[in-house]
Amino acid sequence: MEQPDSGGQIKCRYCRKIWPPEHFRTARGKPSTHCRACLDAKREETRLRRERMGPAGVRAANLWDKYRITVEQYDALRAAQQYRCGICGTHEDDITVILTGRPRLDGTPTARAVRLVVDHCHNSRRVRGLLCNNCNTMIGLSSEDPAILRAGAAYLEASMLQ
C-alpha cells in the first residue's frame, strides 16, 4: 500500500485512483495494496476463469501453480505409494475427509476434497510425496524440523513405559 498523502488518501496500485484508507482492506479486514473495487473485480475475474476451466482444469492449475506437477505426476505418485499415506500408511479409501473451508459465495457445494495431499519442502519447493491431512499437518506444525519430530516420538515412547 502506498503511503497516504497529506489528506490521508491512498493511491491504488492497480487502478491508480485515490481513495480513503478504509478502501484498502480485504473482506477479512487485512490491509491491501489494491482498493476494494479492484479486489472485487479480481475476485470476479478469478471466479469466471475457474468456472470456464471446470473442476478438472482448476485441479490441474492448482497442482501446477502450487507444486509444479501435473495431474499425471500426482496420479503416478499415488500409484507408487500404493494409494497410501507416505507416513502412517493409511490407504486413501480409509481416510475420512471432512469438508472444510469457507462456503462458496454462489451457494454451490465445495469440490470433493482429495484424500492424499501433496507434501513439499517450503524452502526448495521440492515435492516429497503424498500424505494424509493429519500427517501433513504434523509435518507443518513441527516446522518441518526432524529434531522436533524425533523429540515428540521419544516423549511418546517414554510415556508408554510408565
Side-chain angles (χ1 to χ4, degrees):
M1 186 165 36
E2 293 189 15
Q3 294 298 317
D5 65 13
S6 58
Q9 303 288 310
I10 302 171
K11 184 189 288 185
C12 174
R13 294 175 83 184
Y14 188 74
C15 69
R16 313 304 284 167
K17 291 181 182 175
I18 307 290
W19 299 93
E22 59 269 15
H23 283 250
F24 292 87
R25 295 273 173 196
T26 67
R28 295 184 179 186
K30 294 184 178 182
S32 172
T33 58
H34 295 61
C35 69
R36 187 80 204 136
C38 289
L39 289 173
D40 290 343
K42 175 94 171 112
R43 180 183 296 115
E44 180 64 10
E45 179 184 313
T46 299
R47 186 190 66 75
L48 291 172
R49 185 179 71 249
R50 287 175 176 260
E51 195 174 275
R52 282 191 306 272
M53 293 168 70
V58 170
R59 178 175 180 242
N62 283 341
L63 284 171
W64 184 255
D65 292 344
K66 292 179 180 182
Y67 312 112
R68 291 292 189 243
I69 63 171
T70 63
V71 173
E72 293 77 19
Q73 288 170 314
Y74 174 87
D75 289 339
L77 269 173
R78 283 175 61 225
Q81 290 183 200
Q82 299 175 356
Y83 305 93
R84 296 181 176 280
C85 171
I87 293 178
C88 70
T90 303
H91 193 277
E92 68 180 6
D93 291 341
D94 298 328
I95 298 171
T96 304
V97 176
I98 299 170
L99 293 179
T100 59
R102 65 176 184 242
R104 292 186 173 166
L105 295 175
D106 63 2
T108 58
T110 56
R112 187 177 155 277
V114 294
R115 298 181 187 275
L116 293 174
V117 297
V118 178
D119 175 46
H120 68 287
C121 174
H122 286 90
N123 293 327
S124 70
R125 311 296 295 165
R126 183 181 63 81
V127 172
R128 293 186 283 233
L130 302 176
L131 302 176
C132 69
N133 194 52
N134 288 341
C135 290
N136 191 50
T137 301
M138 175 183 65
I139 296 286
L141 290 175
S142 72
S143 303
E144 300 184 17
D145 186 344
I148 292 174
L149 294 169
R150 280 192 291 273
Y155 170 81
L156 288 175
E157 288 169 350
S159 70
M160 293 175 134
L161 298 175
Q162 297 174 353

